Amino acid sequence: MPLGLGRRKKAPPLVENEEAEPGRGGLGVGESGPLGGSGGGGPHVGLPPPPPSLRPRLVFHTQLAHGSPTGRIEGFTNVKELYGKIAEAFRLPPAEVMFCTLNTHKVDMEKLLGGQIGLEDFIFAHVKGQRKEVEVFKSEEALGLTITDNGAGYAFIKRIKEGSVIDRIQVISVGDMIESINGQNLLGCRHYEVAKMLKDLPRGRTFTLKLTEPRKAFDMISQRSAGARPGSGPQLGTGRGTLRLRSRGPATVEELPSAFEEKAIEKVDDLLESYMGIRDTELAATMVELGRDKRNPDELAEALDERLGDFAFPDEFVFDVWGAIGDAKVGRY
């Protein structure tokens, strides 16, 4: 059966082999704006926050990544609320929190917090540090960046490809938040929107990036990581299970992902990077959920259109996602 029978006309892929990556979650878990890797999909009007009685009363321990006493936070149901609780614990403006990592204070993209937190995970919050302005000459079509977002309106660099245009600029590092491109403010933009802007910049021209790097602890001053390795998906929590943060509805406590789910999410996340230049494990997890019980690619295409239509996934991508989920079901890893 031809893929996409009856589907509405789709736009061409936003980015090919370029630069957007929803965070582990990238992060698609905010109430509005970027879902940060989160599985919520494109921009939408979120439902009001659930009443306190429906929110899991779970307590998590947290520190500021550059060093602080340990705080205790609870009563949040999405990433935006989580950042607010962290800011309250350390008496910071919520906008100062850039992103969080789990069980490490380092800027480790394999440990980026997205839509799931292990019930025994320790949360490290990375806050804004030095601002910088960089001029970049686009000598090649692909800059070598992978972009993610934090679930609350910030897009930042998750990976830098070795030998790429950006890799040759030492002042740009993994974890840097992209504030603007050529003066255009990007606060509130999704990762794929930022990636598209970078992709559309003309080759052979110079453009200006305004960046903010996360504040670093003493042992991180010289760090310049290339980011997570392709296919090295994050461990979705430790201990008894995970807290699943959602853009719509209350957070829920779930079992750790099965071997099928972990492998399918990893393969779909790889496809997101290949087709769109983004990595977002929470978005990938949502796609696996939507596709696991579908009987053919057309049913998957309809489900993606309904839930994640703003991404305008091309038919070839949907077909490959269907194949990746099918392979994971039968153990072809």
Side-chain angles (χ1 to χ4, degrees):
M1 174 186 297
L3 174 62
L5 289 178
R7 296 179 71 199
R8 66 178 182 274
K9 179 69 174 177
K10 284 292 189 181
L14 292 171
V15 187
E16 292 185 3
N17 298 318
E18 181 62 19
E19 22 241 57
E21 168 177 341
R24 179 184 152 190
L27 309 176
V29 285
E31 283 299 321
S32 64
L35 298 175
S38 83
H44 58 76
V45 178
L47 297 178
S53 59
L54 292 180
R55 305 185 185 192
R57 305 306 297 177
L58 301 172
V59 177
F60 292 87
H61 292 88
T62 182
Q63 289 182 359
L64 300 180
H66 64 274
S68 75
T70 299
R72 291 161 57 91
I73 55 174
E74 62 178 313
F76 55 89
T77 192
N78 57 52
V79 166
K80 192 171 184 178
E81 290 182 5
L82 167 62
Y83 291 167
K85 293 292 185 180
I86 292 172
E88 182 181 335
F90 295 108
R91 299 182 180 180
L92 297 169
E96 287 296 300
V97 181
M98 292 177 62
F99 57 86
C100 296
T101 50
L102 299 176
N103 307 314
T104 179
H105 71 287
K106 297 182 178 180
V107 182
D108 183 348
M109 294 295 104
E110 294 185 55
K111 303 296 183 181
L112 190 67
L113 182 150
Q116 298 190 51
I117 307 172
L119 300 185
E120 297 178 5
D121 279 344
F122 198 105
I123 301 171
F124 288 89
H126 298 255
V127 300
K128 292 180 180 178
Q130 180 179 350
R131 285 178 167 81
K132 49 198 178 184
E133 183 172 315
V134 186
E135 290 193 348
V136 181
F137 179 71
K138 190 175 183 181
S139 59
E140 303 172 17
E141 286 296 334
L143 292 169
L145 286 178
T146 297
I147 307 299
T148 190
D149 56 43
N150 73 344
Y154 296 161
F156 60 93
I157 299 170
K158 186 169 184 180
R159 179 178 301 155
I160 298 174
K161 184 178 180 180
E162 186 176 355
S164 65
V165 172
I166 296 298
D167 188 45
R168 296 192 287 270
I169 304 174
Q170 290 300 306
V171 72
I172 300 177
S173 300
V174 166
D176 286 354
M177 182 182 76
I178 305 176
E179 289 192 359
S180 70
I181 300 173
N182 286 336
Q184 182 172 343
N185 191 335
L186 300 179
L187 300 184
C189 290
R190 289 296 319 263
H191 43 49
Y192 67 87
E193 295 172 311
V194 176
K196 184 178 186 301
M197 289 182 62
L198 291 168
K199 176 72 174 179
D200 290 346
L201 291 170
R203 184 175 178 178
R205 301 279 185 87
T206 297
F207 65 94
T208 302
L209 289 176
K210 286 189 178 180
L211 308 167
T212 299
E213 66 181 35
R215 186 174 174 183
K216 294 180 172 64
F218 180 77
D219 65 340
M220 299 162 60
I221 295 299
S222 63
Q223 177 177 337
R224 186 180 189 260
S225 171
R229 300 181 305 275
S232 58
Q235 298 300 311
L236 299 181
T238 59
R240 297 166 290 161
T242 65
L243 179 67
R244 177 76 179 272
L245 306 177
R246 300 180 182 277
S247 58
R248 290 173 286 187
T252 56
V253 177
E254 301 179 355
E255 296 295 324
L256 290 172
S258 66
F260 152 71
E261 291 169 330
E262 284 192 347
K263 181 51 62 174
I265 290 168
E266 179 182 322
K267 291 170 76 71
V268 173
D269 203 20
D270 288 344
L271 289 170
L272 282 169
E273 183 167 35
S274 175
Y275 276 88
M276 301 180 66
I278 65 177
R279 292 191 71 86
D280 188 336
T281 54
E282 188 62 18
L283 175 60
T286 297
M287 298 177 75
V288 171
E289 287 180 3
L290 292 173
R292 65 188 306 161
D293 62 347
K294 299 300 182 288
R295 294 171 296 180
N296 56 59
D298 289 296
E299 289 188 1
L300 173 60
E302 292 175 4
L304 292 176
D305 281 354
E306 180 178 353
R307 179 78 174 273
L308 303 172
D310 289 320
F311 284 90
F313 297 122
D315 286 347
E316 296 83 359
F317 171 78
V318 175
F319 188 85
D320 284 348
V321 168
W322 167 257
I325 295 173
D327 286 347
K329 280 182 180 179
V330 298
R332 288 199 297 266
Y333 302 156

